[in-house]
Amino acid sequence: MIRSKLRTLLLGAGSAAAVMLATALVPATASASPVPEARDAAGAAAGFWACTVPPGYTFTSTQQTLNCGDSGFRTYYFVQPPADGLWACTVGDGFTYSSTQNTLDCSTGGGFRTKYLLRTPKTGLWACTVPSGFTYTGTQSTLDCSTSGGFRTKYLLRAF
């Protein structure tokens, strides 16, 4: 009797482990589905995959695809309107940036590229560039703004 209860318990545990293992493996073997479009508060598409980056947009990620050319792989961009606090691969007009990171997210041909933390310029913001319409009242040497691994100047912005 003890032996049959032990056998039942072990079989039940083995079945549970098999189910857990199968569940864990299914997502890894399933085909990749496209990333859903991001939506803004109004429900409009805030980001989408495209073969080019439209004027006034930036991109936040890339992947290689066969969808964008006659033959061979081409870069596919996840494009979005620039916004304060967005990590993006380019800095658009009317924005500055306050931090950088070295990443493969922005790669268009292999290798690491710089990604920027976009910021809307305003008085009191520490930024890596001084945009048009602003001056600065202080500086600091930092790695925050580095695009090549060295120290760079960060500026305390003041509108004029």
Side-chain angles (χ1 to χ4, degrees):
M1 181 160 155
I2 292 176
R3 210 178 267 172
S4 67
K5 285 186 180 183
L6 183 58
R7 186 177 305 134
T8 303
L9 182 62
L10 288 175
L11 285 174
S15 297
V19 168
M20 287 174 46
L21 180 61
T23 303
L25 291 177
V26 168
T29 58
S31 61
S33 59
V35 175
E37 289 186 351
R39 299 277 171 183
D40 66 13
F48 53 92
W49 286 99
C51 298
T52 61
V53 180
Y57 281 76
T58 186
F59 64 100
T60 58
S61 187
T62 62
Q63 64 183 18
Q64 295 300 307
T65 184
L66 294 171
N67 293 341
C68 294
D70 295 336
S71 64
F73 284 94
R74 301 276 193 251
T75 303
Y76 209 29
Y77 303 91
F78 190 75
V79 298
Q80 293 182 251
D84 190 58
L86 178 70
W87 280 98
C89 301
T90 60
V91 181
D93 291 338
F95 288 88
T96 185
Y97 60 98
S98 61
S99 190
T100 62
Q101 58 180 279
N102 211 12
T103 180
L104 292 172
D105 290 352
C106 301
S107 181
T108 59
F112 285 89
R113 299 286 189 263
T114 302
K115 202 167 195 180
Y116 307 91
L117 180 59
L118 300 184
R119 299 302 310 265
T120 303
K122 63 182 177 183
T123 297
L125 175 70
W126 283 98
C128 300
T129 62
V130 180
S132 179
F134 286 82
T135 187
Y136 57 97
T137 58
T139 62
Q140 58 181 306
S141 186
T142 180
L143 292 172
D144 289 351
C145 301
S146 179
T147 58
S148 60
F151 283 89
R152 299 274 311 267
T153 302
K154 203 168 195 179
Y155 306 92
L156 182 59
L157 298 182
R158 179 173 174 83
F160 60 84

